[in-house]
Amino acid sequence: MSGLAVVVAPDSFKGSAGAAAVAAALARGWRSARPDDVLTELPLADGGEGTLDALEAALPGCVRHHLEVPGPDGRPVGASWIVLPDGTAVAELASASGLGLLSEPLPYDAHTRGLGRVLAAALDAGATRLVVGLGGSASTDGGAGVLVELGARLLDSLGEPVRDGAHGLVEAARIDLTGLRPLPEGGVVAWTDVTAPLFGATGAAAVFGPQKGAGPDDVLALDRSLRAFADLVDVDPGTPGAGAAGGTGFGLLVWGASLVSGAAAVSEAVGLDRLVAGADLVVTGEGRFDAQTAGGKLVSWVASSARAHEVPVALVAGQVQAGTEGFVDVVSTSDLAGGAAASQAEPERWLEAAGARLAEQAGRGDAGDRAAR
């Protein structure tokens, strides 16, 4: 069997390799085993890290702007935003206020002022519509930092500005929105990778706080901070996605933004359905395939698109920690490398090996036969 049309559409392997590098490595491995197949590399993102890169790779004509902003710990970091061919400005929280910008987690002090500075710059440049990719945040500040940079004032009982980060949410007695910048004419849409509410058992602190250095007592304290912040405004904290990016989804709701699935939005923007419809096989992947994947993560969206077009879909993941029903093939780079540490130390090597493994199994008639049907 020869001449399969294969779409390689992975997310990033967070902490190891960006989506473009993942797609390229998988494609190299596949071509080493089946050089006659036609591969389309389509690196993707769901609003988190790599969103700007994925859009730039798929949409010729994007223009990137660079600036320096305060990172999640206040130190200056380089951030960027892009303008799509249709004029929409797109910002990405991870590049301005992301966890990867910290040398160590700061569960109480990290903030989102950097993202707010990026949004303000896009507005100053004349953006008439804004898209904000949420994901990979360092903070649990409810998006307060974003609002402050856009002109809001979070004040204590004496009328003084509160500290940045979650600490300030507890200190705040009121929020003054009179100076908040108006939404651009075309509105603001936030792309989220989760449907979590702001607080509670499935909220921002409980689910994502531990990833940001919060212990059990810290999670409780952060949750109380978010509840206190929600009491200051007339916005529903239970809105799906309000808990995205440490509650930044909620802060953007306060501004007047709408929240949508990042995986769905990015997939639509880059034409995923069109490419999948013409494929014999789709290969997707992420660093850790677990129970959260089904809750709006990119891999679940790619798989759903493939199945809707009756195209088989294969999975590559660093670690597989959930059931993989519905995939015609599954390869773990940790299994190939003999452990997660080895896989993460040389991600592209083991991604190439994974691509070759999938191609070999297709050549033996496993996934390949199913792809031909």
Side-chain angles (χ1 to χ4, degrees):
M1 178 179 176
S2 63
L4 285 178
V6 182
V7 172
V8 184
D11 197 352
S12 65
F13 278 45
K14 290 180 175 59
S16 297
V22 173
L26 289 171
R28 285 195 302 271
W30 185 287
R31 292 188 181 103
S32 71
R34 291 179 58 88
D36 294 331
D37 289 343
V38 178
L39 273 67
T40 299
E41 297 174 33
L42 189 68
L44 295 174
D46 53 14
E49 180 184 2
T51 295
L52 300 187
D53 293 338
L55 292 172
E56 277 190 317
L59 301 173
C62 292
V63 178
R64 187 177 286 250
H65 300 263
H66 300 272
L67 72 164
E68 188 176 88
V69 302
D73 58 0
R75 294 180 301 171
V77 299
S80 60
W81 54 280
I82 64 173
V83 180
L84 302 184
D86 68 359
T88 299
V90 185
E92 176 188 282
L93 180 146
S95 69
S97 305
L99 184 60
L101 300 173
L102 294 178
S103 57
E104 61 180 0
L106 297 171
Y108 292 102
D109 298 307
H111 56 75
T112 53
R113 293 183 73 118
L115 174 62
R117 193 75 60 88
V118 173
L119 298 181
L123 292 173
D124 290 342
T128 57
R129 180 174 183 266
L130 277 176
V131 167
V132 188
L134 300 183
S137 70
S139 69
T140 310
D141 77 342
V146 171
L147 293 173
V148 168
E149 289 292 332
L150 292 172
R153 300 173 68 223
L154 202 58
L155 306 172
D156 64 18
S157 59
L158 299 177
E160 297 295 324
V162 301
R163 289 179 287 175
D164 290 329
H167 280 307
L169 301 186
V170 175
E171 299 167 354
R174 66 185 182 93
I175 183 169
D176 179 1
L177 301 176
T178 56
L180 186 63
R181 298 181 67 148
L183 297 176
E185 179 182 346
V188 177
V189 177
W191 290 350
T192 72
D193 60 351
V194 298
T195 57
L198 180 62
F199 52 73
T202 58
V207 178
F208 307 107
Q211 301 171 9
K212 304 170 187 181
D217 290 340
D218 300 319
V219 166
L220 295 175
L222 291 170
D223 195 68
R224 287 193 295 269
S225 298
L226 294 171
R227 289 175 186 270
F229 184 40
D231 287 341
L232 302 179
V233 295
D234 186 20
V235 174
D236 183 5
T239 302
T248 305
F250 180 77
L252 291 174
L253 286 171
V254 171
W255 190 25
S258 58
L259 309 182
V260 302
S261 163
V266 174
S267 297
E268 180 180 357
V270 303
L272 175 68
D273 277 346
R274 173 180 54 81
L275 294 170
V276 165
D280 296 309
L281 178 69
V282 174
V283 178
T284 189
E286 63 180 346
R288 178 180 296 170
F289 181 83
D290 58 20
Q292 290 186 23
T293 300
K297 295 289 187 178
L298 179 80
V299 166
S300 65
W301 190 264
V302 174
S304 295
S305 175
R307 290 163 193 152
H309 291 285
E310 298 184 344
V311 176
V313 57
L315 171 70
V316 177
Q319 299 178 65
V320 177
Q321 299 178 339
T324 56
E325 297 81 5
F327 291 100
V328 297
D329 231 329
V330 178
V331 178
S332 162
T333 58
S334 292
D335 289 348
L336 291 178
S343 172
Q344 292 168 2
E346 298 181 280
E348 294 189 32
R349 171 189 174 186
W350 297 109
L351 285 163
E352 281 193 39
R357 173 71 62 88
L358 288 176
E360 290 165 358
Q361 292 174 174
R364 287 199 298 269
D366 298 340
D369 282 350
R370 282 169 281 188
R373 291 205 286 266

